[in-house]
Amino acid sequence: MEHQHILILDFGGQYNQLIARRVRECSVFCEIKPYDKADIGYIKESKPMGIIFTGGPNSVYGEGAPSVSKEIFELGIPVLGICYGSQLMAYVLGGEVSTCVTSEYGKTETEYDKDCVLFSSDELPKKAVSWMSHTDYISRMPEGFKKAAQTWNCPVAAMYNEEKKLYAVQFHPEVNHTEHGLSMIYNFVRKVCGCAGDWTMENYAETAIRSVREKVGSGKVLLALSGGVDSSVLAALLSKAVGRQLTCIFVDHGFMRKNEGDEVEEAFRGWDINFVRVDAKEQFMSRMRGVSDPEAKRKIIGEEFIRVFEAEAKKIGRVDFLAQGTIYPDVIESGSGDAAVIKSHHNVGGLPDYVDFKEIIEPLRMLFKDETRKLGLELGLSEKLVWRQPFPGPGLAVRIIGEITDEKLEILRDADHIFREEIAKAGMDRDINQYFAVLTNNRSVGVMGDFRTYDYTLALRAVETSDFMTAEFSRIPYDVLEVCSRRIVNEVKSINRVVYDITTKPPATIEWE
Ligand code: XMP
């Protein structure tokens, strides 16, 4: 590994990705590994600068509870245990863990020992709020440890052994509610572990371009470009690395938002790549006629996409590399077991079986979304493209409930455009993670002028989320919603009612289909 790095051992906690993101915010590279996939041999070989144990749902005394060998603390590598990780450290090193009479959950006033390097930053007061979520706690510290924090209910909210560079915190410094939590993580990775902070997107761009060049040599590279953030950043990176050896195929299935197909083409005009836009609107529409079941729609679009892409790819002849815009959360998620299929997601992940190529390359595989965005800017992509919000592979087809028609597509495009325009005007476009309109299949009675109308109901959806696995509906001010509603019913024909979706995920999903 070229960069100094921190190993994050995953014990099944819910904030693990957040820990990794915080470490990267300190300009330090890190990798998350399930605790049972990183044994002592692996650790010795990969030489991390430090190790972080995450939280997890277990109790150290539980049957089959995840654990580590004592040897891990004797390698001379600094360790930071968080929540379950802190209890595990105490337990394995001979301390004692007990169960609280009342679980501690939420914001908790915490008293810190400023002599402990984790809490030594000037901006951290002696007393501040930390975020707790636990039932067990360290009731006796192992030999050689000193207490470094406490709360009313938790006698050892943090402990450390300075000489051995072992640190443990019962609370979650990675969560925003912990005041100055980032400075604690910074102090661990930069001061205790001694990481220099060599992980920046400027450096990354340079190394990634170099390594793609070395790998690809004079080979041909193929990329399915959707116009989304990940595939666009990848196109930019590859174009700098291999120029015209890259062909990007952009399949326009006709379910894009207003002007979007042209915008994608425009964004890549003038770049040193082969850019192919396939207009497959008719083909997709003809297969969608009479189809209203959401899963059937997704399946047809997925299949048709592959067919169109394959036909286009064949025209290029043999390609050597298929590039994919996989990013780190996809990597972590796909390694974390068999979650139930809620929706069959269509994205380029399904392509490899159908295209003849030698190898897959995934240069963004180690990046989080925010890092991918930074890299995009570094490579010269526009702010607009880099901040484009997520858009599902099947596009507007899953935002029109029931059968899709050209008329409904046009209605939805216009309404969605107004909604997005108003959100941007209100300056909320970067705070809301995803916002869009859905054309319901419901019609209701209204009145316009002196006439009765019987038109469609449009739903607006806006969510705030960090991982898209759970989401809150966004608290858009009523006056912004009012402008959206007024403009939509006035400017878009066939809509006479606008509703705002106030459901969280779960139980709803973000998209309606
Ligand atoms: P749901 O609706 O499952 O959506 O809560 C979670 C996130 O995934 C996006 N999404 C998709 N992305 N292909 C994609 O690449 C798909 O088929 C697809 N379906 C949903 C959705 O927009 C949201 O960001």
Side-chain angles (χ1 to χ4, degrees), residues 250-258 260-261 279-289 297-298 300-302 304-305 346 388 391-400 403-406 408-409 412-413 416:
F250 165 46
V251 175
D252 186 350
H253 51 29
F255 305 128
M256 306 290 277
R257 289 167 291 195
K258 196 173 174 124
E260 203 165 28
D279 181 354
K281 291 187 194 108
E282 289 307 320
Q283 207 165 323
F284 278 86
M285 260 319 250
S286 69
R287 287 212 54 198
M288 297 307 276
R289 266 185 248 296
K297 284 184 190 171
R298 283 175 171 274
I300 292 171
I301 294 174
E304 203 55 39
F305 186 90
H346 146 86
R388 189 175 181 267
F391 189 58
L396 300 184
V398 291
R399 292 179 181 171
I400 292 175
E403 193 184 347
I404 301 161
T405 63
D406 288 327
K408 284 183 183 171
L409 270 169
L412 180 58
R413 266 195 198 111
D416 182 72

Side-chain angles (χ1 to χ4, degrees), residues 123-135:
E123 69 269 22
L124 177 73
K126 218 176 141 33
K127 276 189 185 166
V129 166
S130 77
W131 177 260
M132 289 281 189
S133 172
H134 68 116
T135 307

Side-chain angles (χ1 to χ4, degrees), residues 14 20 54 65 161 204 210 269 347 425 465 480 483:
Q14 46 177 328
T54 74
N161 180 330
Y204 184 79
R210 204 171 47 233
R269 183 167 300 148
N347 48 31
K425 258 194 224 160
T465 169
V480 177
V483 177

Side-chain angles (χ1 to χ4, degrees), residues 298 343-347 390-394 398-399 434 468 505 509-513:
R298 283 175 171 274
K343 293 174 190 182
S344 46
H345 275 203
H346 146 86
N347 48 31
F391 189 58
V398 291
R399 292 179 181 171
Q434 200 170 1
F468 295 88
K505 171 183 179 175
T509 50
I510 295 174
E511 302 288 345
W512 275 37
E513 286 198 334

